[in-house]
Amino acid sequence: MAPLQAASLFTVWAIGSGGESLRMWLLAAMVWLMSLPLLAGLEGALIAMMFFEPLRGLLRRAQYLFVNYSSEDPIHMVTPIVTMIAMMVLVRKGRLQQFWSTPLAGWVTLLGIIFFLEIFNPLQGSLFVGLSGAMFVLVPLVWFYFGQAVQERFMHRAMKLMVLLGIIGSLYGLYQLMFGYPAFEQYWIENTDMYQSIAVGHVKRALGTFSSAEEWGRYTEIGAIIALGFFAGTKQFRARMGWLVCAALLIGGMLLSGQRTAIFGFMVGVVALIMFSARTWRTGFARVTMLLVPMALLFVLAQAPTDDELWSKAEDERVSAVLTHTQRGTLKPTEEDSLQIRFQNWGDLITSVIPYRPLGAGIGAGSLSDMRNNPDSDLPPIDNFILVLAITCGIPGALVFVWILLRASWLSARLARTAESGTRNASINRIAAALMPVLILNSVFGMTFSIYSVAPVAWLLIGWVSAEALRARENNEREVLVI
C-alpha cells in the first residue's frame, strides 16, 4: 500500500500547487498507466498508446486550462518513453533475431541505424534538434518490431480501435465546426506560431481530437478503409451494415478535415481493396471500372467552387466553408496554388539542395525544433516525406525507405491474394494490402510517417506484413516437405 499512499499524497500536492507541478504529475501518471500493461504483455501497452495518440492534440490543448502557453511541450515525451520501455522489454526476452529475421527486418534495421547516426549530424545545429527530429521518425520506426511480435487477434482489435477513435475524433471535430473552439483551444490557436494553414477563408478549420487537420484526415482515411475492409469480409448482415455506417461516418470526418490528399488516398485504397477482395483479377478490374467511370464523369462535368465562393463564406458558416474548400481541392487539384508552389519547391530541392548534401543534414533538419532554433533556415515547406528523408538522412536513407515501402506492398499483395476467404486473417491481410499504396501516396504528398497517431500504426502494419510473409514461407516449406 505504500506506493499507492505516496501517489495519493503527491496527487493532492500537485492539485494544490497547480501549474507546472500538476502537468508534470499528470504526464508521469500517463507514462505509468501506459507502461503498466507491460507486466502482462506487450499488446496491452500498444493498445494504451494507440488510445492516447489520437487524443494527444486535445489533451495538449486542454493543459492550457492550468498552465501558460510554451513552445516546448513535455506531453510529446510520453509515447516515446513508453515505446522505449516496451522495446527494452521486447529485447530482454531474447528476440535479438527480430532485427534481421523477417524479409523486411534487415532493411528497417539499416534505416533505423541511419536515423540514429543522423541525430549527431553537425549540419543541423545542436544535438537537441537531432533528438527532437528522432521523436518524429525514429520512435515510430520501433513499432515495426512490435508488428513482428503481435498476434492476429491484436491486429484485429487494433484496427477496430482505429475505427472507433476515428469516429470519436470526427464527432468532436464536427462540434468544433458547429459551435466553435472552446476557450482553452482558442488560447492555443492564438499563441501557436507554427500552424498557419488552420485558416480556410474567413473560418478556422477543425482539428477534432488530433494535433492538426492533416492528422485528422490521415487517421480517418485509414479508418474508413479498415471499416470497408471489414464490411467486405463479413457475412452477417447486421455486422456489414454496422461497418458500412462506420465507414460513412469516417468519410464524413475526412471531408470535414479539408485534406484533399486524404481523399485521393482513400480512393486509391478503395480501388486496391476491391481488387484484392475479388476472386479473380478480371472480376476486380470489372468492379473497379464500374466504380471509376462515374467518378471520372464527375471530375470532368462537375464545376469546382471558385476562390470568391470560398471567401464569401461568413465566419459562422464553418461547415460550408470547409466543404467548399474540400470540393475545390478535390475536383480541380491541379488548379490549386498550393500544389503548384509545392512542385516548384520540390524541383528546387532536387536540383539545388539534395545534390549538395548527399549524406543528409541531420534527422532534425526542417523539423519544428530546427525552425525555432535556426531562424536562418532557408528550407521551404516540403510536404513530401521521401524528400524530407533525402534532406535529413541523405539519398541512401531515402532509397532504403522507398525500397521498404515497395517491398512491403509486394509482400502484402501476395498475402492478400493467397489468403483463405472468410477468415479473420484474410480480412486483415487484404486491408493491409489496400493500405500500402495509400501509405506510398501519402508519403509523396504528405508527412504520414511523421504524424503522431499515424506513423506508429504504419510501421506496425509493415512489421505485421513482414512477419506474415515469413510465416507464409515457412508454411509453404512444411507443405513441400510433407509432400
Side-chain angles (χ1 to χ4, degrees):
M1 297 294 294
L4 294 178
Q5 291 175 345
S8 300
L9 291 174
F10 272 109
T11 302
V12 173
W13 169 78
I15 293 175
S17 301
E20 289 295 332
S21 300
L22 179 58
R23 175 167 71 171
M24 296 309 296
W25 177 244
L26 290 175
L27 294 179
M30 287 183 186
V31 172
W32 182 78
L33 288 174
M34 289 196 288
S35 301
L36 188 63
L38 289 172
L39 297 174
L42 173 66
E43 296 180 354
L46 297 183
I47 289 293
M49 287 188 283
M50 290 184 65
F51 193 89
F52 168 79
E53 282 301 320
L55 303 177
R56 186 200 293 204
L58 177 61
L59 295 175
R60 177 191 180 189
R61 299 187 288 272
Q63 70 183 346
Y64 297 125
L65 289 169
F66 51 86
V67 298
N68 295 324
Y69 178 82
S70 62
S71 58
E72 307 300 334
D73 200 332
I75 196 173
H76 297 314
M77 294 297 298
V78 173
T79 301
I81 291 174
V82 180
T83 299
M84 292 298 103
I85 296 174
M87 188 61 189
M88 287 188 291
V89 171
L90 194 63
V91 173
R92 186 182 177 187
K93 292 182 179 180
R95 298 182 176 179
L96 291 177
Q97 68 274 15
Q98 67 184 316
F99 294 107
W100 60 79
S101 58
T102 64
L104 294 174
W107 292 103
V108 174
T109 301
L110 175 60
L111 184 63
I113 292 173
I114 294 175
F115 286 172
F116 179 78
L117 294 177
E118 290 292 345
I119 295 176
F120 309 97
N121 193 319
L123 296 178
Q124 66 195 337
S126 67
L127 180 61
F128 175 76
V129 175
L131 292 174
S132 299
M135 286 198 306
F136 286 97
V137 293
L138 180 57
V139 171
L141 181 142
V142 175
W143 283 62
F144 170 86
Y145 304 104
F146 299 157
Q148 293 184 139
V150 298
Q151 303 298 319
E152 172 189 317
R153 182 177 59 180
F154 169 82
M155 289 298 297
H156 193 258
R157 291 177 176 175
M159 289 181 173
K160 286 184 175 180
L161 181 63
M162 286 196 68
V163 172
L164 174 62
L165 294 177
I167 292 174
I168 294 174
S170 297
L171 291 177
Y172 185 71
L174 180 61
Y175 168 83
Q176 291 172 330
L177 284 174
M178 295 183 65
F179 302 102
Y181 283 97
F184 64 90
E185 292 188 302
Q186 187 63 40
Y187 173 79
W188 172 80
I189 293 173
E190 292 173 353
N191 285 273
T192 185
D193 58 342
M194 292 296 174
Y195 195 27
Q196 293 83 2
S197 62
I198 194 172
V200 176
H202 295 295
V203 307
K204 295 182 178 69
R205 71 172 81 207
L207 306 177
T209 60
F210 303 90
S211 297
S212 65
E214 182 183 8
E215 183 179 10
W216 181 15
R218 297 294 188 276
Y219 200 91
T220 50
E221 167 195 10
I222 294 175
I225 295 172
I226 291 173
L228 290 177
F230 285 136
F231 165 79
T234 303
K235 295 182 179 180
Q236 296 182 355
F237 178 77
R238 290 185 179 180
R240 288 174 65 89
M241 292 299 101
W243 286 118
L244 190 59
V245 170
C246 290
L249 292 173
L250 289 168
I251 293 172
M254 181 176 60
L255 295 176
L256 292 176
S257 71
Q259 294 293 311
R260 63 175 180 270
T261 304
I263 297 173
F264 287 113
F266 172 74
M267 294 178 183
V268 171
V270 170
V271 170
L273 189 62
I274 292 174
M275 292 296 299
F276 291 121
S277 299
R279 294 184 179 181
T280 63
W281 289 112
R282 181 176 299 177
T283 304
F285 278 119
R287 293 177 179 177
V288 169
T289 302
M290 293 176 62
L291 175 67
L292 293 182
V293 168
M295 288 182 60
L297 293 175
L298 177 65
F299 277 89
V300 172
L301 301 178
Q303 185 69 29
T306 62
D307 280 336
D308 294 337
E309 292 181 61
L310 176 61
W311 285 95
S312 66
K313 304 295 181 183
E315 293 185 6
D316 57 348
E317 296 180 287
R318 301 182 187 90
V319 175
S320 178
V322 172
L323 291 179
T324 300
H325 170 76
T326 303
Q327 183 182 359
R328 185 178 187 278
T330 304
L331 293 178
K332 303 295 181 182
T334 58
E335 297 181 6
E336 289 286 299
D337 293 337
S338 60
L339 181 64
Q340 298 171 9
I341 294 174
R342 185 181 301 183
F343 285 150
Q344 181 180 351
N345 291 338
W346 293 355
D348 294 338
L349 292 172
I350 293 173
T351 58
S352 304
V353 177
I354 296 176
Y356 298 97
R357 298 175 181 175
L359 297 181
I363 199 170
S367 65
L368 293 180
S369 178
D370 180 47
M371 295 176 187
R372 292 191 175 107
N373 288 275
N374 300 320
D376 297 330
S377 176
D378 57 351
L379 287 178
I382 302 174
D383 294 328
N384 182 316
F385 187 74
I386 297 175
L387 288 182
V388 167
L389 283 186
I391 293 171
T392 59
C393 300
I395 297 175
L399 292 178
V400 171
F401 175 75
V402 171
W403 169 251
I404 290 172
L405 283 185
L406 295 177
R407 181 64 175 163
S409 300
W410 171 252
L411 292 176
S412 63
R414 291 180 56 185
L415 290 171
R417 296 306 301 175
T418 57
E420 184 178 352
S421 300
T423 63
R424 184 168 61 183
N425 184 270
S427 297
I428 295 174
N429 287 340
R430 287 168 183 167
I431 292 172
L435 288 176
M436 289 311 304
V438 176
L439 295 179
I440 294 175
L441 177 66
N442 291 163
S443 295
V444 176
F445 295 94
M447 300 291 291
T448 294
F449 280 84
S450 62
I451 295 177
Y452 299 131
S453 60
V454 179
V457 174
W459 282 114
L460 181 80
L461 190 68
I462 295 174
W464 164 262
V465 168
S466 185
E468 276 288 285
L470 177 63
R471 286 190 283 265
R473 185 172 64 187
E474 291 175 346
N475 290 336
N476 292 335
E477 291 176 354
R478 291 194 197 99
E479 292 176 359
V480 171
L481 291 176
V482 171
I483 294 175

